[in-house]
Amino acid sequence: MTKPAAPRSFQEIILRLMNYWASKGCAVLQPYDMEVGAGTFHPATTLRALGSRPWAAAYVQPSRRPTDGRYGENPNRLQHYYQYQVLIKPSPPNLQELYLGSLEAIGIDLDLHDIRFVEDDWESPTLGAWGLGWEVWCDGMEVSQFTYFQQVGGHDCKPVSGELTYGLERLAMYVLGIDHVMDMPFNAPDAPIPLSYGDIFRQTEEEYSRHNFDGATTDMLLRHFEDAEAECERLLAFEPADPNSGKRIVMAHPAYDQCIKASHLFNLLDARGVISVTERQAYIGRVRALAKKCADAFVQTEAGGWTAEVTA
Amino acid sequence: MADLLIELFSEEIPARMQKKAREDLKKLVTDGLVEAGLHYAHAEALSTPRRLCLAIEGLSLESPTLREERKGPATSAPEKAIEGFLRSTGLTLEQLEVRDDKKGQVYFAVVEKPGRAAPEIVAEVLEKTIRNFPWPKSMRWGAGSLRWVRPLHSILCILSSEAGAEVVPLDVDGIVSGNTTEGHRFMAPGRFAVSSFDDYAAKLKAAKVILDSAEREEMIWHEAKTLAFARGLELVEDAGLLAEVAGLVEWPVALMGDIADQFLALPPEVLQTSMKEHQKFFSVKNPKTGRIEGFVTVANRETADHGATILKGNLKVLSARLSDAKFFWEHDLRIVKTEGLEGMGAGLANVTFHNKLGSQAARIERIEALAREIAPLVGASPDLAAEAARVVKADLRSAMVGEFPELQGLMGSYYARAAGLPEAVAAACKGHYSPLGPSDEVPSEPVTVAVALADKIDTLTGFWAIDEKPTGSKDPFALRRAALGVIRLVLANGVRVNLLAVLEQSILRLLDEAFSARASGTSADWLETWSRFGAEDPNVPAKMLRNFKKFLLIEFAGERLKAEGKDEIAELVLGAKNWNPSAAYDEDDLISFFHDRLKVHLRDEGIRHDVIDAVLAMPGSDDLTLVVKRAEALSAFLKTEDGGNLIQGFKRANNILSQAEAKDGVEYSFGADAKFAESDEERALFAALDAAEAAIGPAMQAEEFGAAMGGMAALRAPIDAFFEAVQINSDNEIVRRNRLNLLSRIRQICLSVADLTRIEG
């Protein structure tokens, strides 16, 4: 078998990952249309890791970490970046081999590189989730996070999902041999209009860095946090029986949207430097409480494995 | 006899868990086999990142038949008793034997347990081992419920002898045992069968897997050293890193690279820590310059380009990491040069140390005050100790320590020198955390000792005051370590300090602080308030004041809770006001904690716990140096023949005296008069006691405990002779009382040296 040729652009790496995981049977989803801190927050991971139904999805998720803004100057740090996320439930026995196949697909020659699985247990205090796994090293660089989910939202994962998270910029910079993220070709370098990562994102990194550190109105953010928290709880307090449609409808996803909102608002408040060390824990605890309630609600839905017979 | 080979093949096992997993596998399986009646000649456990392996040589082929006899009731016993016996043995009446006994005929049950074949036992033991393996953290995977450290893929389990090898059949949740395994993930993929341990190890080696972690360590160390040596450099030893790296690879290949010139000015510890923590690189030192100039990374494979691609990738990652470190270093130096080290630490006011103990800045103020008090006791200048205390924590705000917390203290000393502070201050930055463990070196520089003691004492009194004491195995704030640190600092430097007074000051300061945070005023004001509350003595002891303050704090807390509408909790809190104000005080309790740690410490030094108890019962037991001097003298004394015998004599005297005192209801404590002595032995004892008293008193005063013990040793012969010749109980009541009072002098004199009643044996 011939080895795949080296990719030439950021988007080619993404497209190859898409094709690869599609060929392995994953549903290729699109990014979630909300501001999230990581691909894990996408309901296709957080909620779908719960319950007994099988699942296989892969998607790119734009992710925001307001405190990581560096005005586009740091070669490796961004407040907005892309994660590639794969979630398969139950985790297949050959998940490591499937993962290694994806590295080959994006042009990493496994005969020349040193790939290692180094212990790294994953925990998300805001999602009440944890799992065991590794960070995957390629020649000493962390290129992915590999996790077997054990708990999400305080619920045991049964069956267990296998989760793969690729930090796309870092991985692509390595594969393409780029030293500064802004110099990375986004589309093909010989395209009629070649665009670099910096052409697309330098300005937004500047704008959002200023926004995150100085611009955002903290009073409003605090208010919105409270609102999102209250709305999440209010949505979950509805009786499942919907009088309009006559159906049983638990509003797990809309409530979870509010949880995501609260989480992002907290991140912004953190970047604005208005959250003290002690308060931090309390805020994280409040978001976790929401995530747990959403998880409780999701397992009461059909997608979460609920069936009428079980409760009858 | 047969050989047993077990391999549990899984996804990558964390390196740090492999050593204990080997030990556990060996113990659980061999214990299980032995318990089931098998025996074996030798067992060895091995591991790689992907496999745990156990090889047992000379395993017996079956367990012996066991015959068990149990004696039952007499044949004439009531029916119920016989039924009970049948139930407990699982036999019928016909199966019992009747035998003649002294008291008549008795039922006997003879149960024979037939031996079992080794494979059956092995399968049972291995399954149980897998299901109950004590991983520090384990997980489920896929749709199953089996737990292992990472997904378990295959079980190899074979018994081999000259006749050949057989698979021990076993099925653990669908994982069926077999005789195959896999080689290196990348260099030799694919499964192959093995027929014995030797075959297994050899085929693995051919498949690019070194089974034995010790051999991998050896290979790594040798290759790395050779690489460094060839360049005239030397490898920096790191046994922990070596073990970890050996647990990350099946086929180690060492590669060496250079650190770029722009990073060579970084402190060597920074280079070493960054490379070790982030990338698990060994550091390579230039013996001529003393600088870290290169690194060795260990790959898990050979490649066609001899590792060139791998090394290039690693260099790239290293360069990014060291750029960060260089940025931190230069940034920190800039701050120190413009704002001084104290300026660097200014932000500590916003860092909470503990929510009940205030900020780091508040803590530093307390440490400064304590260090100033302690300084004269350890021969340090109070001003210098205070200056050091103000800056020793400043590096916690440095960018470097933010990234590498393990460099705390060390960076402080670099930055202190950069700021032009005195060397003693720079040394205290680094040394005041010491000693960390029981084998860590104890600082001796006076300023460092003063700050180190102040730091640890503040930690202890602080957590004591807020009732966060260690319980059982839980010690989240490492208070046992802090107490042992104080003990070792005091003993190693021969510091003479009445710890109780220092602790009292420290606790008072804490309460003052807690107090002024809630109300204005100092302890002096509160003393006045207290006296208005009805204390008659204006010099109210500090202890009482303190309890009063605690009481008032409770009041504050209760009111605040009420204001927040938390009435129920408020009631509970306010209820605590009824605490007995004369209950144990924090510092007394803390002193006992020190004594417990001291016992553990001295036991390791070979001093018996009863000897320490005997010494701790004496006044001045908060002066740890004094306690140890006494304990050492007493311990040495007890090891002499005189010592052992004197204890017997003392105990005899004490027993007779105690019994007489209990019976007569009086205390014989004085008035023994030589004129009532009837025999030479009795007179001799009087003389000896006079001499001992004259010798022991001044010796104790001068803390010459060896001499005091000598004084006591001189009593041994007269006491023995006295008991030999003299009957205490005389018909003459005057003589009897005189003798009891004489015994009392023995007790009194001996107890002035140590509480010998606590000596065992």
Side-chain angles (χ1 to χ4, degrees):
Chain A
M1 204 181 82
T2 54
K3 287 174 180 165
R8 296 188 304 156
S9 67
F10 186 51
Q11 71 188 25
E12 189 180 345
I13 287 171
I14 296 175
L15 291 169
R16 286 197 194 182
L17 283 173
M18 287 293 191
N19 279 324
Y20 177 82
W21 286 107
S23 78
K24 299 299 172 191
C26 285
V28 173
L29 304 183
Q30 301 304 319
Y32 201 55
D33 58 344
M34 290 187 68
E35 297 143 312
V36 295
T40 310
F41 276 86
H42 195 310
T45 289
T46 315
L47 297 182
R48 294 292 176 155
L50 294 164
S52 54
R53 292 199 168 190
W55 183 254
Y59 55 89
V60 175
Q61 181 61 50
S63 306
R64 301 193 187 217
R65 294 203 176 150
T67 46
D68 277 356
R70 294 292 183 272
Y71 303 88
E73 287 163 13
N74 187 295
N76 305 300
R77 242 178 243 280
L78 300 160
Q79 57 83 39
H80 172 281
Y81 65 104
Y82 288 117
Q83 281 194 343
Y84 196 85
Q85 174 90 1
V86 179
L87 190 85
I88 305 181
K89 179 174 73 172
S91 64
N94 62 340
L95 189 57
Q96 281 185 309
E97 282 70 33
L98 288 174
Y99 167 76
L100 292 170
S102 75
L103 294 185
E104 283 194 301
I106 58 172
I108 294 180
D109 182 350
L110 298 183
D111 286 336
L112 283 180
H113 293 274
D114 182 32
I115 309 291
R116 226 80 78 63
F117 293 86
V118 180
E119 178 193 15
D120 189 31
D121 300 338
W122 172 82
E123 190 184 6
S124 167
T126 36
L127 288 175
W130 68 275
L132 299 192
W134 312 272
E135 48 183 48
V136 185
W137 285 15
C138 175
D139 305 334
M141 187 176 71
E142 186 196 339
V143 289
S144 303
Q145 190 78 35
F146 191 129
T147 308
Y148 291 101
F149 276 6
Q150 302 295 301
Q151 262 197 353
V152 172
H155 290 255
D156 277 346
C157 298
K158 281 184 177 174
V160 167
S161 299
E163 184 212 40
L164 306 172
T165 303
Y166 307 69
L168 280 174
E169 283 82 356
R170 196 207 300 229
L171 178 61
M173 282 166 69
Y174 189 68
V175 171
L176 300 171
I178 305 291
D179 290 329
H180 198 299
V181 62
M182 294 299 169
D183 300 334
M184 180 160 63
F186 202 102
N187 61 358
D190 56 358
I193 304 173
L195 293 167
S196 72
Y197 197 93
D199 291 332
I200 300 170
F201 288 118
R202 188 187 303 275
Q203 183 179 325
T204 54
E205 279 300 308
E206 288 170 358
E207 291 178 7
Y208 278 104
S209 293
R210 185 166 187 200
H211 166 265
N212 299 340
F213 293 129
D214 303 309
T217 311
T218 54
D219 291 351
M220 180 198 73
L221 295 174
L222 283 166
R223 220 163 45 234
H224 286 186
F225 182 93
E226 308 278 338
D227 286 348
E229 185 181 41
E231 181 71 352
C232 179
E233 290 182 347
R234 203 178 69 82
L235 291 175
L236 293 175
F238 275 74
E239 282 300 317
D242 171 33
N244 281 339
S245 65
K247 289 183 182 176
R248 181 180 184 282
I249 303 178
V250 176
M251 288 179 278
H253 284 81
Y256 181 62
D257 284 353
Q258 299 301 321
C259 170
I260 295 179
K261 260 188 196 156
S263 173
H264 179 64
L265 288 160
F266 161 71
N267 289 341
L268 277 173
L269 285 163
D270 199 20
R272 290 286 281 108
V274 294
I275 291 180
S276 74
V277 181
T278 21
E279 283 175 322
R280 235 185 109 75
Q281 286 314 310
Y283 272 100
I284 290 173
R286 283 163 77 179
V287 178
R288 180 169 57 239
L290 296 182
K292 282 197 166 151
K293 283 178 189 164
C294 294
D296 294 346
F298 180 74
V299 296
Q300 292 302 313
T301 69
E302 265 181 53
W306 181 89
T307 51
E309 297 82 69
V310 173
T311 39
Chain B
M1 294 296 141
D3 294 337
L4 174 65
L5 174 62
I6 295 169
E7 182 206 62
L8 303 169
F9 183 85
S10 68
E11 297 178 14
E12 279 76 355
I13 306 166
R16 68 185 170 95
M17 299 180 188
Q18 290 170 23
K19 179 167 184 275
K20 179 159 184 298
R22 290 195 297 269
E23 289 161 3
D24 287 338
L25 179 66
K26 181 167 151 182
K27 179 161 172 38
L28 289 171
V29 172
T30 54
D31 283 1
L33 296 178
V34 169
E35 200 178 312
L38 295 182
H39 54 86
Y40 66 97
H42 180 72
E44 187 181 16
L46 300 152
S47 70
T48 78
R50 293 211 291 168
R51 62 201 91 220
L52 262 184
C53 163
L54 179 66
I56 296 181
E57 284 170 27
L59 185 68
S60 51
L61 294 175
E62 58 184 18
S63 61
T65 298
L66 293 179
R67 208 179 123 95
E68 189 196 12
E69 280 192 10
R70 274 177 62 190
K71 185 180 170 184
T75 48
S76 56
E79 206 167 309
K80 279 223 167 117
I82 296 168
E83 271 173 26
F85 185 61
L86 289 175
R87 254 199 316 278
S88 76
T89 55
L91 299 179
T92 61
L93 193 60
E94 295 73 46
Q95 289 172 310
L96 296 184
E97 283 180 26
V98 176
R99 293 186 195 167
D100 288 325
D101 193 70
K102 276 172 266 169
K103 294 171 197 157
Q105 288 202 311
V106 171
Y107 283 118
F108 266 81
V110 178
V111 186
E112 206 162 87
K113 275 195 195 155
R116 295 162 69 208
E120 191 187 329
I121 294 174
V122 167
E124 202 177 277
V125 168
L126 182 55
E127 174 164 357
K128 196 172 156 208
T129 300
I130 292 172
R131 292 195 188 280
N132 300 296
F133 205 80
W135 292 108
K137 267 185 188 175
S138 65
M139 55 165 275
R140 294 171 288 109
W141 61 94
S145 59
L146 187 64
R147 303 188 76 90
W148 198 244
V149 64
R150 292 294 183 274
L152 180 65
H153 282 278
S154 71
I155 300 170
L156 181 155
C157 186
I158 56 170
L159 271 168
S160 50
S161 61
E162 280 134 35
E166 58 165 326
V167 171
V168 175
L170 173 71
D171 179 342
V172 184
D173 287 16
I175 306 171
V176 179
S177 60
N179 62 348
T180 62
T181 186
E182 276 179 39
H184 191 278
R185 185 192 283 282
F186 299 104
M187 296 178 74
R191 295 196 81 82
F192 53 86
V194 302
S195 59
S196 68
F197 176 73
D198 290 342
D199 185 40
Y200 170 74
K203 281 182 175 158
L204 275 181
K205 194 162 261 182
K208 306 292 183 186
V209 175
I210 307 286
L211 182 58
D212 186 352
S213 58
E215 191 181 338
R216 292 195 302 275
E217 283 189 26
E218 180 68 40
M219 277 174 75
I220 294 167
W221 190 243
H222 179 76
E223 280 186 36
K225 254 173 96 167
T226 309
L227 283 171
F229 183 75
R231 297 266 307 274
L233 304 173
E234 61 190 37
L235 199 62
V236 177
E237 261 186 65
D238 190 334
L241 181 62
L242 183 60
E244 188 183 2
V245 171
L248 285 170
V249 293
E250 295 201 312
W251 191 256
V253 176
L255 301 167
M256 186 171 147
D258 293 321
I259 295 169
D261 289 346
Q262 54 165 325
F263 304 124
L264 291 179
L266 284 169
E269 295 91 343
V270 169
L271 289 171
Q272 226 169 308
T273 306
S274 173
M275 294 201 294
K276 174 184 173 165
E277 294 305 314
H278 290 141
Q279 296 186 266
K280 312 202 192 298
F281 285 177
F282 292 92
S283 293
V284 174
K285 196 184 200 165
N286 184 339
K288 288 188 208 97
T289 61
R291 291 189 306 192
I292 305 286
E293 296 183 359
F295 66 88
V296 169
T297 181
V298 180
N300 185 29
R301 62 166 308 150
E302 293 160 9
T303 61
D305 65 356
H306 306 289
T309 307
I310 297 173
L311 188 60
K312 200 175 128 206
N314 274 287
L315 270 166
K316 195 176 157 133
V317 185
L318 177 66
S319 169
R321 291 285 190 194
L322 293 185
S323 299
D324 279 351
K326 187 165 176 254
F327 172 81
F328 299 144
W329 171 245
E330 285 165 359
H331 170 266
D332 290 344
L333 285 179
R334 241 188 342 266
I335 301 251
V336 165
K337 295 233 164 88
T338 54
E339 296 167 37
L341 192 50
E342 230 182 310
M344 173 181 266
L348 288 171
N350 304 321
V351 177
T352 309
F353 170 63
H354 182 285
N355 58 14
K356 285 189 192 157
L357 294 172
S359 70
Q360 281 282 14
R363 179 168 136 77
I364 289 164
E365 269 177 44
R366 295 195 301 266
I367 295 176
E368 183 187 337
L370 253 178
R372 204 178 262 287
E373 285 160 21
I374 295 172
L377 304 171
V378 300
S381 138
D383 286 343
L384 210 50
E387 184 183 358
R390 276 198 299 279
V391 298
V392 290
K393 305 285 183 194
D395 67 348
L396 294 177
R397 295 295 291 170
S398 68
M400 190 69 87
V401 174
E403 180 70 10
F404 299 110
E406 63 270 47
L407 292 180
Q408 68 177 18
L410 178 81
M411 293 321 295
S413 65
Y414 276 107
Y415 297 147
R417 286 186 196 107
L421 297 176
E423 185 53 33
V425 173
C429 287
K430 181 175 172 213
H432 82 282
Y433 290 105
S434 298
L436 285 171
S439 52
D440 197 16
E441 209 175 310
V442 182
S444 59
E445 209 286 323
V447 171
T448 304
V449 173
V451 180
L453 282 171
D455 186 16
K456 289 168 177 63
I457 288 172
D458 178 72
T459 303
L460 285 162
T461 52
F463 286 104
W464 236 257
I466 61 169
D467 277 330
E468 288 280 4
K469 305 170 193 178
T471 51
S473 60
K474 288 205 186 78
D475 184 9
F477 303 105
L479 301 181
R480 292 193 180 101
R481 194 171 76 183
L484 180 62
V486 171
I487 291 169
R488 294 189 61 212
L489 280 161
V490 165
L491 299 185
N493 293 295
V495 180
R496 298 302 303 272
V497 53
N498 289 105
L499 215 45
L500 206 52
V502 176
L503 296 178
E504 209 168 68
Q505 276 306 312
S506 171
I507 292 179
L508 260 180
R509 197 170 293 115
L510 270 160
L511 285 162
D512 268 349
E513 207 174 85
F515 232 50
S516 45
R518 287 166 178 80
S520 58
T522 63
S523 54
D525 303 331
W526 289 103
L527 186 62
E528 208 194 283
T529 315
W530 169 240
S531 51
R532 266 190 273 122
F533 265 78
E536 284 159 22
D537 181 0
N539 298 315
V540 181
K543 285 177 178 179
M544 293 181 78
L545 167 71
R546 192 158 54 260
N547 270 17
F548 174 65
K549 283 185 160 189
K550 269 203 167 172
F551 164 94
L552 282 181
L553 281 176
I554 289 166
E555 191 102 312
F556 278 120
E559 275 164 17
R560 195 167 157 194
L561 285 165
K562 267 194 177 165
E564 288 170 9
K566 294 169 185 162
D567 284 348
E568 219 166 297
I569 309 173
E571 284 310 315
L572 274 176
V573 169
L574 290 170
K577 275 195 304 190
N578 302 326
W579 285 337
N580 177 6
S582 64
Y585 298 105
D586 285 335
E587 66 270 26
D588 292 341
D589 189 31
L590 194 44
I591 281 287
S592 330
F593 183 67
F594 272 108
H595 285 164
D596 288 344
R597 305 328 304 158
L598 182 66
K599 279 184 205 171
V600 175
H601 178 68
L602 291 181
R603 197 174 52 211
D604 295 343
E605 313 259 294
I607 297 182
R608 284 171 13 204
H609 71 95
D610 54 336
V611 171
I612 304 163
D613 280 335
V615 169
L616 288 178
M618 304 297 290
S621 67
D622 64 333
D623 181 339
L624 303 180
T625 302
L626 186 72
V627 165
V628 172
K629 269 172 88 175
R630 279 185 175 167
E632 281 168 353
L634 181 57
S635 185
F637 174 60
L638 290 178
K639 282 179 189 144
T640 64
E641 204 203 332
D642 278 348
N645 285 316
L646 178 86
I647 290 297
Q648 297 314 318
F650 165 79
K651 288 204 164 168
R652 192 164 167 193
N654 192 39
N655 286 341
I656 294 169
L657 187 57
S658 304
Q659 279 162 18
E661 284 180 333
K663 188 171 141 235
D664 303 348
V666 290
E667 193 180 310
Y668 295 101
S669 54
F670 68 101
D673 195 333
K675 75 181 178 206
F676 297 113
E678 291 182 338
S679 68
D680 287 348
E681 287 83 359
E682 204 171 353
R683 273 184 287 274
L685 182 57
F686 269 101
L689 285 170
D690 287 343
E693 205 164 30
I696 290 172
M700 289 298 285
Q701 204 66 38
E703 297 179 6
E704 284 160 2
F705 300 115
M709 298 295 159
M712 211 158 59
L715 287 175
R716 180 231 160 156
I719 290 176
D720 285 356
F722 171 76
F723 279 123
E724 191 71 28
V726 178
Q727 195 73 31
I728 304 292
N729 282 327
S730 162
D731 293 337
N732 182 337
E733 188 55 23
I734 292 171
V735 172
R736 176 176 173 266
R737 253 186 287 147
N738 195 52
R739 285 179 185 155
L740 287 170
N741 278 320
L742 182 61
L743 294 187
S744 166
R745 278 195 71 196
I746 296 178
R747 177 166 73 180
Q748 206 183 319
I749 290 171
C750 289
L751 288 184
S752 74
V753 178
D755 185 354
L756 299 186
T757 58
R758 292 176 193 252
I759 299 295
E760 288 166 7

